[in-house]
Amino acid sequence: MSNTLPKIEREDVGGGKGRYVVRGPDGAEAEMTFTSIGTHQIIIDHTGVPDAFRGQGVGLHLVTRAVEEARAAGKKIIPLCPFAAAQFRRHPEWADVLKR
C-alpha cells in the first residue's frame, strides 16, 4: 500500500447528485456517489473500486473525504451503500455525522 493517498475530485452533477472520484493513470476510476437530501443530509449510495485500486485503501479514503466534508458543513450522512455502512461501523469516531 502506498503512503501517498490519491487525489480525490468532487463532481456535482446536478439535482443534488454527485460523486467523489479518484482517477488512475491507466484511466481507471474509483468512485463514491452521493445524493443530497435538503441542506443537512447526504446519502452515500454507492462505492466502486476497480481492481486497479484494490488493497490501497481508496474506498476508505473516499468515504473519509465525505465524512470530513459533512462534518465541516454540519451535515449528516445516511450510508445506504454497504461498503460505506461497514466503514461507519468500523469508525465510531464518525458517529457525529451518522444519521440515526
Side-chain angles (χ1 to χ4, degrees), residues 74-86:
K75 295 183 178 185
K76 297 288 186 180
I77 295 175
I78 302 166
L80 294 184
C81 162
F83 176 81

Side-chain angles (χ1 to χ4, degrees), residues 23-65:
R23 292 183 173 86
D26 61 353
E29 291 185 347
E31 71 173 3
M32 187 205 69
T33 61
F34 65 88
T35 302
S36 294
I37 305 298
T39 58
H40 300 294
Q41 297 178 44
I42 66 168
I43 294 172
I44 296 176
D45 20 53
H46 169 74
T47 305
V49 179
D51 288 341
F53 292 109
R54 297 260 184 235
Q56 299 176 40
V58 173
L60 173 59
H61 189 44
L62 290 165
V63 177
T64 300
R65 170 75 178 270

Side-chain angles (χ1 to χ4, degrees), residues 4 7-8 14 16 20 24 27-28 33-34 48 50 56 66 78 80 93 95 98:
T4 304
K7 178 184 172 191
I8 296 176
Y20 295 95
T33 61
F34 65 88
Q56 299 176 40
I78 302 166
L80 294 184
E93 68 274 18
L98 179 62

